[in-house]
Amino acid sequence: TREPTARARRRHCSGMSQAISASARETVAQALAIARAHGTLVSYDLNYRPALIAAADALQLLRETLPHCDLFLPSVDEFQALTGLSQPDDIMAWCRDHGARAVVLKQGAQGCTVWEGGERVAVPATPVRPVDATGAWDGFAGACLAELLRGQPLLAAARLACRAAALSTQVHGAVDSYPRRDQLEPQPG
C-alpha cells in the first residue's frame, strides 16, 4: 500500500526487482514516485542480472531510475557490462551526468569508491582469503544502508560495508555468511 511507503525514512530499490517483470518494474516506479513525493531518501542497487534482462533494457531502466535516487550502489563489473566503462573516474562521471546525487562504486578486492558532494574517496577493502563471494554485494548494500539508518555519514557506512562484504566471503553461501554488527568493529592489535 502507499501509506507505509510514504512514511518510510528510506526506500531501497534493486535493478533485479525491475528485471523480473513489467508489473514489477511498474511497482518499483510507483514506489519511487511515492518516496520522492514524500521526501523519502531513495537508494538503488544496480544488481544487474543478464539472465533476467538484456543489457540495453537494463541500461534504459538505469537512465530512468537514477535521477530519482539519492544513493546509487553499482559494481564495476555490472557497470562495465552495461556501458563498457570500467574506470572509477569514468563511471562516476557517467553517474553524475545521468543524475546521481551520491555513488558508492563496489570494486571487489579493491574496496569501493565513494562519490558525494563532488568529493571522491577510495575506500580499501578489508584483506581476507575469500572462500565464496556469493551475496557479498548484497551484504555490502545491507551493511551500508543499515549504517546510514544509524545516522552514520556515507563514507563511514561504506567503510563498514567493505568490511561486511569481505568478511562474508569467508563462509560458503549468502545469508548465513553475513557478519553481525558487533563482528564489524575494528579488532585491536
Side-chain angles (χ1 to χ4, degrees):
T1 66
R2 292 175 185 258
E3 188 178 325
T5 297
R7 288 182 298 164
R9 290 190 297 163
R10 277 200 174 268
R11 167 65 54 193
H12 182 67
C13 299
S14 165
M16 191 167 86
S17 297
Q18 294 172 306
I20 293 170
S21 67
S23 64
R25 255 187 307 282
E26 181 58 31
T27 299
V28 170
Q30 288 175 4
L32 287 172
I34 293 167
R36 297 312 298 167
H38 290 88
T40 301
L41 296 174
V42 175
S43 55
Y44 181 64
D45 191 336
L46 183 53
N47 210 349
Y48 171 56
R49 297 289 190 263
L52 295 176
I53 189 168
D57 294 335
L59 183 58
Q60 181 58 37
L61 282 172
L62 173 58
R63 285 184 174 126
E64 293 170 7
T65 305
L66 197 53
H68 303 285
C69 299
D70 298 290
L71 175 60
F72 180 41
L73 299 154
S75 76
V76 169
D77 295 340
E78 293 170 324
F79 221 83
Q80 186 171 11
L82 295 185
T83 67
L85 300 174
S86 62
Q87 297 303 309
D89 286 339
D90 297 336
I91 293 170
M92 296 296 181
W94 190 98
C95 292
R96 182 191 61 238
D97 292 348
H98 287 84
R101 292 174 182 83
V103 179
V104 177
L105 180 64
K106 300 172 281 186
Q107 298 170 257
Q110 286 72 50
C112 70
T113 299
V114 177
W115 177 74
E116 182 181 36
E119 299 220 9
R120 179 184 171 278
V121 178
V123 177
T126 298
V128 295
R129 291 191 176 165
V131 174
D132 180 5
T134 304
W137 289 147
D138 293 331
F140 181 101
C144 185
L145 297 173
E147 285 301 287
L148 292 172
L149 285 170
R150 288 169 47 103
Q152 295 300 310
L154 183 56
L155 185 56
R159 283 189 176 114
L160 187 116
C162 274
R163 184 159 172 74
L167 294 178
S168 77
T169 67
Q170 295 185 296
V171 178
H172 286 283
V175 177
D176 290 339
S177 70
Y178 298 146
R180 294 183 320 270
R181 175 68 178 73
D182 64 319
Q183 294 172 308
L184 299 175
E185 296 298 331
Q187 302 301 311

